[in-house]
Amino acid sequence: MDALTHLASFALVAGLLTIMPGPDTAIVLRAALARGPRHGFATAFGIGSGTLVWGAAAAAGVSAVLTTSRVAYTSLRIVGACYLLWLAYGLLRAAWVNRYTDVETAPVAGAKAAPGLWSAWGRGVLTSLTNPKVGVFYMAMIPQFMPSGAPHLAFGILLALVHDIEGMVWFTAIILGANSLRAKLRRPRFRRTLDATTGTVIGAFGIGLAATDG
């Protein structure tokens, strides 16, 4: 197969992975609903940045450690699970103790400033990089779609970029759809339910990741 055929084949497999529910979808949806499209896209770009790192690592053979070393895989899995559970704790605590106000009004005295776009981007990066299943996917898939004679690092990043483009298309649909619901965020009950639901979903992913053996 030529390079274009390899790219098309990888795009099909990666596209199926993209639309599978996961913590990345949950945090992008929550960011878009709670903070608006800009924060949603910043989070999505963060996830895409992490994906590029995994692609480069897989192409360079670095992430082979995850498939050959049980200790390395388990360590990253535990770190990822702890990070997801930490996110879940923050959301569930907010749903429990926060006094929600109209998002259009000025913040109440003493309230913490809303996280900025860099913070949203960083959350996306960490969510991607602390998910060992992403690294294992890239380590398993990239060698199979690497044309003979192609520069490994460059083509690996190209494959990750294809996955990123598909991810951004998917996230764009989610963000634009969520934007139409933002008016409901003026209702404290909706915002509390959003944090509680997102925290529960992310917590479930964290527990599932912690309980996964291999």
Side-chain angles (χ1 to χ4, degrees):
M1 293 189 295
D2 58 18
L4 188 59
T5 304
H6 281 80
L7 284 173
S9 300
F10 177 82
L12 177 60
V13 176
L16 294 175
L17 177 68
T18 297
I19 62 177
M20 290 177 61
D24 49 356
T25 299
I27 67 167
V28 169
L29 179 59
R30 196 267 176 185
L33 283 170
R35 300 296 178 187
R38 294 179 64 199
H39 280 77
F41 280 114
T43 305
F45 276 116
I47 292 171
S49 299
T51 299
L52 286 177
V53 173
W54 276 123
V62 175
S63 63
V65 175
L66 293 178
T67 58
T68 59
S69 171
R70 187 175 183 83
V71 173
Y73 179 85
T74 300
S75 299
L76 184 57
R77 177 170 58 82
I78 292 174
V79 170
C82 290
Y83 176 68
L84 291 178
L85 290 173
W86 176 75
L87 289 180
Y89 168 76
L91 291 168
L92 292 173
R93 184 177 183 277
W96 181 258
V97 305
N98 271 11
R99 182 164 60 88
Y100 291 87
T101 57
D102 191 325
V103 294
E104 300 299 330
T105 60
V108 295
K112 293 182 179 180
L117 296 180
W118 280 110
S119 176
W121 178 83
R123 176 170 292 188
V125 171
L126 285 175
T127 300
S128 179
L129 292 182
T130 57
N131 188 349
K133 293 183 178 180
V134 178
V136 171
F137 167 80
Y138 271 93
M139 193 59 215
M141 291 292 105
I142 282 187
Q144 298 185 43
F145 295 97
M146 190 76 65
S148 177
H152 287 188
L153 182 59
F155 203 84
I157 293 176
L158 178 60
L159 290 175
L161 187 59
V162 168
H163 190 191
D164 269 0
I165 293 172
E166 291 179 325
M168 286 308 303
V169 171
W170 173 247
F171 288 140
T172 296
I174 291 175
I175 292 167
L176 294 181
N179 192 49
S180 64
L181 299 175
R182 286 203 73 222
K184 292 184 179 180
L185 287 176
R186 295 185 180 185
R187 305 174 186 175
R189 176 183 292 183
F190 182 90
R191 297 172 62 198
R192 191 181 305 277
T193 300
L194 172 65
D195 281 352
T197 301
T198 308
T200 300
V201 170
I202 291 179
F205 282 121
I207 293 172
L209 184 59
T212 300
D213 186 15

